[in-house]
Amino acid sequence: MNELIALINTDPEESTVQKFFEKHPASIIGTAYALSNTLIAKLPLGVDFVTDFTWVNPRSGPTYVYLIEIEKPSKSIFNKNDSFTQSFNHAYGQVEDWLGWYARNQDAFRDILVPLKSHNDLPPFFAVRGILIYGRDSELSNNRREERWVQKGLSNPFIEVRTYDGWAREKNNTIPPHDILSDYLSTVHYSNRSYINKDLQKVNI
């Protein structure tokens, strides 16, 4: 058992899980390369939206940006009739809104990332993807629910959906006590066009 599973088994609040991921950024990023080795917490998108986590993944082709929404792990995915709950649909819709905001504000988004890297080192556009981490595997308790969960993951190629259990399995090798790659990663917050670490110090990246 990794520490994320141990934590969510205690029925924590979303804020507690947020703090866990901020303390252990490799639990979000995994083994992939992150721009400036940085995970961004609570990144504002204009005045209407704030992501829980964001990170930038330069590749040989497009540069990917991941916008991540987490919710309290005990929130229900399904109603008794096996339809998605209003809370789940709202969380999913929020990720859709983020992608829509990026599509309308690509230059503004690029400016937000400039403190991570100079203008010359950033591409003119990004391949932006959303991730929703929501609920527990125990809710995938019958074939109808499993099919609807899989279909939801396929319904939008730009948005991934994961239960906390599924996320913990996928990232097991970078979640304590197995987080051997975490030392070079840091978590920052965006404030006044700068990135600030947890000690409220401006980060010169």
Side-chain angles (χ1 to χ4, degrees):
M1 178 185 298
N2 61 45
E3 288 187 16
L4 178 57
I5 289 291
L7 174 62
I8 61 178
N9 283 343
T10 67
D11 189 20
E13 296 296 324
E14 179 186 331
S15 60
T16 302
V17 181
Q18 176 85 23
K19 290 176 182 177
F20 175 88
F21 284 134
E22 289 188 21
K23 183 178 180 181
H24 305 289
S27 299
I28 290 288
I29 295 171
T31 60
Y33 170 67
L35 182 68
S36 299
N37 300 325
T38 299
L39 175 68
I40 308 166
K42 299 297 182 181
L43 182 70
L45 303 178
V47 297
D48 295 320
F49 307 115
V50 178
T51 72
D52 286 319
F53 294 102
T54 302
W55 65 283
V56 184
N57 177 215
R59 303 185 189 181
S60 57
T63 293
Y64 284 82
V65 175
Y66 295 95
L67 310 177
I68 300 169
E69 168 74 357
I70 66 171
E71 293 285 346
K72 183 178 179 179
S74 61
K75 280 190 175 182
S76 297
I77 303 171
F78 294 101
N79 296 307
K80 290 182 178 180
N81 65 359
D82 298 333
S83 61
F84 287 112
T85 62
Q86 181 179 359
S87 177
F88 174 82
N89 285 330
H90 179 268
Y92 189 91
Q94 184 164 256
V95 179
E96 290 180 313
D97 288 340
W98 295 346
L99 298 183
W101 182 91
Y102 167 74
R104 298 186 302 273
N105 298 276
Q106 295 184 31
D107 290 341
F109 186 77
R110 190 172 186 273
D111 287 342
I112 290 171
L113 296 180
V114 165
L116 286 179
K117 211 73 172 173
S118 73
H119 272 288
N120 293 336
D121 292 325
L122 288 173
F125 61 90
F126 304 92
V128 177
R129 300 292 184 267
I131 299 175
L132 172 61
I133 306 174
Y134 193 108
R136 302 297 305 271
D137 275 1
S138 58
E139 280 212 68
L140 308 180
S141 55
N142 60 48
N143 288 338
R144 177 176 291 181
R145 290 186 174 191
E146 289 181 357
E147 289 171 359
R148 286 183 171 173
W149 183 253
V150 170
Q151 184 58 41
K152 193 65 175 179
L154 298 173
S155 62
N156 187 330
F158 302 107
I159 300 177
E160 301 177 30
V161 291
R162 296 288 187 277
T163 63
Y164 275 93
D165 305 87
W167 189 262
R169 285 193 301 271
E170 289 180 28
K171 304 297 182 183
N172 182 63
N173 290 336
T174 53
I175 295 174
H178 313 293
D179 55 338
I180 58 174
L181 299 176
S182 64
D183 289 345
Y184 68 97
L185 295 172
S186 62
T187 301
V188 298
H189 291 250
Y190 183 78
S191 178
N192 296 323
R193 300 185 179 180
S194 298
Y195 287 99
I196 309 295
N197 65 19
K198 63 182 179 181
D199 299 317
L200 300 181
Q201 298 296 315
K202 183 175 179 179
V203 179
N204 295 315
I205 300 174

